[in-house]
Amino acid sequence: MASFVFIPFRGTHPVSLAAGIRQYISTKYVQEPDDFSADLDAIDHLRTDAIKVLEPHPSGIRKIMAYAAQLIGVEFVWYPALGYHTEKPVSQNNLRFEFANIVYNLAALYSQLGFSRNRTSSDGLKSTCNYFCQAAGVIQHLKDHVVQEMRSVPPEDMDTVTLEGLEQLLLGQAQECFWQKAVVDGLKDASISKLAASVSDYYSTAGDSALKSDSISSEWIHHLTAKHHHFAAAAQFRAACDCSEKRKYGEEVARLRDSLSCVNEALREGRYLNKIVLGDLHLLKNRIQEHLKRAEKDNDIIYLHPVSSKSELKLLDRANMVTAKVPQELSQAENMIGDHGKLGSPLFSKLVPYSVHVAAGIYAERRDRLVNHSIIEELGDLTIQLHELLQSLSLPGSVEAVEKPLGLPSGLLAHAQELRQAGGMHPPHRLTAEIAKVKSSDRVTYGEGVSLLDHEAAEDERTRTKYGTDRWTRPYSQEAGEKLWTQAAEIEGYFTSAHQSDQLVETKVESVEHLISLLAGDPQELEDNVPSSRRVTLAPRLVREVGALRSVLNEVDTLELARRTKADAVKRKAESDDLSRIILREAARLEREFPMQRLEPAHFENFFDQQLQKYEDALEMVSKERERQGEVAARLRDANAAFVDAKKGESSSREREQALQNLENAYYKYKEIMSNLDVGRKFYTDLARIVDRFRDDCKEFVYQRRSEATQLLK
């Protein structure tokens, strides 16, 4: 039984969910917590039962699933199950974190049930295989769905490579059960060889992931390496037996030699293996050596067939018999809870209808899109246009150089203080590094997907060339996977476009880095870098035009300040836009109006439109801001033209004017860069979900194509 391994349970401490939920109901809902006393007691009992499942018994499955099905603040503490920090607890105030740990323990339970089955009978092997496939399915669901929805950093032993390694390990053990049953049932050597080759592949993939994981122990890595070579040897041994039966004596010798090489590779891990695995390897080696001695002797004396080199041997066919099975109680838990549901009645079902939760989420998404894109971003674009106009007119540097020939203007001092408090160039450098890291990860994930498509296309072309189009009748890879190839091109376009934007931002950073460092640095050094101009008596006309231009510049400052205030007011309005009470009233109205119809989020469409009308005044405000800015911009151009005309012949302040304007321009460019970097970070974060889904779709496509190819070759 020790030729297999199992996933240990994650440990935790008892906590009271009831206390956290009671507080949540008090602050978020109109109902009283005491109305749900029975449900509050039930949720605590369900958790207690679930975390006490520490032995491999089938009764534990329902206990874990019943609790998982109910999980929709409490600080949850869990201990890692794998790695070198299993005594160090991880805690999060996150129900999705609790759910992830419960699902992980469900996978551990299935794996331990498979590990503990008696595999000496046909039924025992079937049961073991089924448990391992279900454990793999739970791990797959945990990786692809649960961890993705945590919205927080997953524990170390729940990162992608660790979960992928566990999934492949479990599928390898399930496939090994099919191989063992085929041996016991006396199937043909060719069939057993295909099964063994597939087992070897699973252990190889699991080992590759394990090497990248910080949580899978070296003991398991040695185990996986040995199992990979063990079944590679077993596959070649059975293929050699098949060659002997078909009188391919030269190929028989070649495959036996490769089999012996593989088993010797496995035995290199001998000191790290348990006695059962090591014993199986020695038995296999003895059989291989006996067959090889006989085969070489017969071929040298009787058959005289040429012995192929390893590179000339045809790649062994595979027969994959297993797949990850996600239990319906996990993937479709919402359908399993109800008054007569398999997993019991839904707790707190009377608190708020699920459709109302969904409807509230839809409204929040639409509201945020309206506020962010149609109001906040529009106001931001107007401000950027205003700053570009000021820069094109060399304002306010030109007028400040005349007004204050010595020292630094108050506006520039305020900007310098703001940048010092923000940390100068540290925030943009930090954001740039974060973006580069996410971008690199996105590129790797995307590359994995494209590589899968390329390899599958190459495999298909080689096989088509070998067997001809008469037998190889399926569509070409580009035709069968047209949607994926199109998506790959689209994603490549995203990367290309984003790279160009990134380069523009990098250029902006490089162009202002010195000036921002100066602004955020020592005040005296800043003042020393701004030339002073000599004091002169200004002509009356110039004094008049300076005053007129300053008046318009003050109007620009007032406009921008008022705009920020308006934008903040809209943001606060959106943040406080709580529909919890009125959406319940709307739900009650809909249920009264349509008593026989199940309430769906689509029924709230008119309600959404009515509620979003509260932002009509903000949309109108954006239009007015655009009109007012046009008027102010016109006055600014006129006032600046009069100022420039009145200043003709005055050159004493030209260097100071340029220095002040450069610093003002750098300040506004800094603001623009920070905005660009925030957009870039969001873009690559959103792209991560797209490329993850693309890679998974590619894996599924390649799996289906290979399964299809196997069927065509039979």
Side-chain angles (χ1 to χ4, degrees):
M1 199 64 62
S3 63
F4 285 166
V5 297
F6 61 83
I7 303 173
F9 288 112
R10 293 175 69 86
T12 184
H13 296 304
V15 297
S16 175
L17 273 172
I21 296 174
R22 179 179 290 275
Q23 178 64 27
Y24 186 80
I25 293 173
S26 297
T27 57
K28 298 290 184 180
Y29 296 93
V30 295
Q31 296 105 314
E32 291 296 326
D34 290 340
D35 296 341
F36 304 93
S37 296
D39 289 346
L40 291 168
D41 291 338
I43 194 69
D44 275 348
H45 286 307
L46 285 172
R47 186 177 196 273
T48 299
D49 289 344
I51 66 175
K52 285 184 177 179
V53 175
L54 299 174
E55 296 293 334
H57 192 279
S59 64
I61 295 174
R62 190 186 184 286
K63 292 179 181 178
I64 293 178
M65 284 185 166
Y67 177 51
Q70 299 290 349
L71 287 179
I72 3 193
V74 175
E75 190 79 11
F76 297 99
V77 178
W78 286 87
Y79 289 82
L82 300 174
Y84 305 98
H85 306 290
T86 55
E87 300 300 318
K88 185 178 179 181
V90 178
S91 63
Q92 290 188 23
N93 186 343
N94 184 344
L95 277 173
R96 301 305 298 180
F97 173 72
E98 171 79 345
F99 183 57
N101 283 279
I102 289 295
V103 172
Y104 189 103
N105 273 3
L106 180 61
L109 177 58
Y110 275 125
S111 75
Q112 293 183 34
L113 286 168
F115 180 87
S116 63
R117 295 300 94 176
N118 186 339
R119 291 188 285 123
T120 58
S121 66
S122 178
D123 288 340
L125 284 170
K126 288 181 181 178
S127 177
T128 300
C129 177
N130 186 55
Y131 278 132
F132 283 140
C133 285
Q134 288 181 299
V138 174
I139 290 291
Q140 182 189 82
H141 186 78
L142 175 64
K143 170 174 63 74
D144 294 344
H145 300 284
V146 180
V147 171
Q148 300 297 325
E149 296 169 2
M150 277 178 61
R151 298 180 182 178
S152 62
V153 178
E156 192 173 78
D157 57 345
M158 283 192 206
D159 63 12
T160 301
V161 290
T162 301
L163 295 179
E164 284 178 349
L166 293 178
E167 180 185 351
Q168 295 299 307
L169 162 63
L170 293 163
L171 289 174
Q173 295 185 163
Q175 178 77 7
E176 187 175 338
C177 292
F178 268 97
W179 168 84
Q180 186 175 343
K181 188 174 186 303
V183 172
V184 172
D185 293 348
L187 267 62
K188 291 183 178 180
D189 289 312
S191 299
I192 296 175
S193 173
K194 294 176 183 178
L195 292 168
S198 188
V199 175
S200 178
D201 289 347
Y202 275 121
Y203 284 132
S204 174
T205 306
D208 290 343
S209 294
L211 286 170
K212 300 174 187 176
S213 169
D214 294 329
S215 297
I216 296 179
S217 67
S218 58
E219 179 183 357
W220 277 29
I221 293 173
H222 290 302
H223 174 85
L224 290 168
T225 303
K227 296 285 265 187
H228 159 55
H229 292 301
H230 180 174
F231 281 92
Q236 289 287 27
F237 174 73
R238 289 291 180 168
C241 294
D242 182 62
C243 288
S244 177
E245 184 177 330
K246 295 176 179 177
R247 301 184 180 182
K248 299 178 181 179
Y249 301 110
E251 184 177 343
E252 177 192 14
V253 172
R255 292 198 180 277
L256 284 170
R257 287 175 180 173
D258 187 54
S259 179
L260 184 60
S261 174
C262 289
V263 80
N264 284 332
E265 282 295 319
L267 285 169
R268 288 176 182 271
E269 310 292 333
R271 60 177 175 164
Y272 306 104
L273 305 177
N274 63 54
K275 293 181 180 179
I276 294 179
V277 175
L278 193 59
D280 289 344
L281 284 170
H282 282 301
L283 287 174
L284 177 60
K285 182 176 181 179
N286 291 338
R287 289 191 67 187
I288 294 169
Q289 289 175 327
E290 291 172 6
H291 279 69
L292 180 59
K293 183 178 179 181
R294 184 267 308 155
E296 286 179 331
K297 180 179 179 181
D298 289 351
N299 191 55
D300 290 343
I301 297 174
I302 303 172
Y303 306 116
L304 305 177
H305 286 192
V307 177
S308 305
S309 65
K310 180 177 179 178
S311 61
E312 294 173 323
L313 291 174
K314 176 190 171 185
L315 186 68
L316 294 177
D317 292 330
R318 267 68 173 163
N320 181 46
M321 305 300 293
V322 299
T323 186
K325 299 177 182 177
V326 184
Q328 286 188 338
E329 292 87 345
L330 181 61
S331 62
Q332 302 177 27
E334 65 275 10
N335 298 328
M336 301 285 179
I337 56 175
D339 292 339
H340 304 288
K342 184 176 180 180
L343 298 177
S345 299
L347 302 180
F348 312 103
S349 58
K350 295 180 180 179
L351 188 58
V352 158
Y354 177 69
S355 58
V356 176
H357 281 294
V358 175
I362 293 172
Y363 171 77
E365 181 181 348
R366 292 186 186 177
R367 176 202 63 212
D368 293 344
R369 185 166 60 245
L370 172 69
V371 169
N372 293 330
H373 293 283
S374 301
I375 301 173
I376 304 301
E377 287 186 9
E378 286 292 325
L379 293 176
D381 289 343
L382 286 174
T383 301
I384 290 174
Q385 293 169 20
L386 193 58
H387 291 164
E388 289 174 348
L389 174 61
L390 288 170
Q391 291 174 25
S392 69
L393 300 176
S394 296
L395 293 173
S398 59
V399 73
E400 287 177 340
V402 174
E403 289 178 321
K404 190 175 177 61
L406 300 174
L408 296 176
S410 58
L412 185 62
L413 287 172
H415 291 163
Q417 179 64 19
E418 180 183 341
L419 292 182
R420 275 194 290 273
Q421 291 176 348
M425 289 303 299
H426 176 69
H429 285 325
R430 175 177 51 79
L431 277 175
T432 301
E434 289 178 10
I435 290 171
K437 185 176 180 180
V438 179
K439 179 181 179 180
S440 175
S441 176
D442 290 351
R443 262 293 181 189
V444 170
T445 303
Y446 168 68
E448 290 174 0
V450 172
S451 179
L452 286 167
L453 294 179
D454 288 338
H455 287 154
E456 194 285 324
E459 288 175 8
D460 180 68
E461 189 59 35
R462 284 195 300 270
T463 313
R464 192 182 303 278
T465 302
K466 181 176 181 179
Y467 292 102
T469 55
D470 291 338
R471 182 176 178 186
W472 207 250
T473 56
R474 68 176 186 168
Y476 285 89
S477 295
Q478 284 77 5
E479 181 182 348
E482 180 181 4
K483 183 178 178 181
L484 288 173
W485 285 103
T486 301
Q487 187 180 8
E490 290 175 353
I491 294 174
E492 184 62 43
Y494 297 156
F495 277 116
T496 302
S497 176
H499 180 66
Q500 294 171 352
S501 299
D502 294 343
Q503 287 183 318
L504 288 174
V505 175
E506 288 174 11
T507 302
K508 291 179 185 178
V509 172
E510 291 172 1
S511 69
V512 299
E513 185 163 8
H514 171 68
L515 292 174
I516 295 302
S517 298
L518 190 61
L519 278 167
D522 181 61
Q524 186 58 51
E525 184 180 351
L526 173 61
E527 185 170 346
D528 291 343
N529 276 271
V530 176
S532 297
S533 59
R534 58 188 177 84
R535 291 185 176 274
V536 296
T537 302
L538 301 180
R541 183 190 171 201
L542 180 56
V543 172
R544 187 170 58 253
E545 298 304 341
V546 166
L549 181 54
R550 172 53 66 187
S551 176
V552 181
L553 286 172
N554 290 340
E555 190 176 355
V556 169
D557 291 339
T558 302
L559 174 66
E560 188 175 344
L561 179 60
R563 182 175 294 163
R564 282 201 297 268
T565 303
K566 292 172 184 177
D568 290 341
V570 174
K571 290 178 183 177
R572 288 195 300 273
K573 183 176 181 178
E575 290 170 359
S576 62
D577 189 4
D578 184 7
L579 295 186
S580 57
R581 290 179 180 273
I582 56 177
I583 201 170
L584 284 172
R585 288 200 296 268
E586 176 66 10
R589 185 191 69 78
L590 290 170
E591 287 177 339
R592 288 194 303 271
E593 191 170 341
F594 307 102
M596 303 304 293
Q597 192 172 10
R598 181 179 177 181
L599 200 59
E600 299 289 347
H603 296 152
F604 292 86
E605 286 296 331
N606 292 335
F607 174 75
F608 294 158
D609 293 339
Q610 293 170 6
Q611 293 302 313
L612 290 175
Q613 286 179 2
K614 64 170 68 105
Y615 297 99
E616 288 294 328
D617 58 342
L619 292 170
E620 186 177 349
M621 175 267 292
V622 173
S623 298
K624 290 180 178 179
E625 285 288 312
R626 189 177 294 108
E627 292 175 7
R628 187 182 175 197
Q629 180 161 313
E631 296 169 357
V632 172
R635 289 198 296 275
L636 183 64
R637 290 189 184 94
D638 293 342
N640 186 68
F643 166 72
V644 171
D645 185 62
K647 196 167 66 80
K648 284 180 180 178
E650 171 58 49
S651 60
S652 62
S653 63
R654 189 163 297 164
E655 289 185 10
R656 178 175 176 79
E657 172 186 326
Q658 188 60 51
L660 291 173
Q661 189 59 40
N662 287 342
L663 291 169
E664 287 287 351
N665 291 347
Y667 168 78
Y668 289 116
K669 188 67 71 175
Y670 178 89
K671 292 293 203 179
E672 185 180 330
I673 288 168
M674 292 302 294
S675 176
N676 293 155
L677 290 173
D678 281 335
V679 171
R681 179 171 57 180
K682 184 178 186 304
F683 169 80
Y684 284 114
T685 301
D686 293 342
L687 186 60
R689 289 192 288 270
I690 295 174
V691 295
D692 281 343
R693 190 159 52 246
F694 168 71
R695 180 188 59 184
D696 293 343
D697 290 344
C698 290
K699 287 180 180 179
E700 179 64 24
F701 171 72
V702 171
Y703 172 77
Q704 291 175 355
R705 291 277 286 179
R706 286 175 177 168
S707 299
E708 182 182 58
T710 302
Q711 294 299 320
L712 285 173
L713 290 173
K714 286 184 179 179

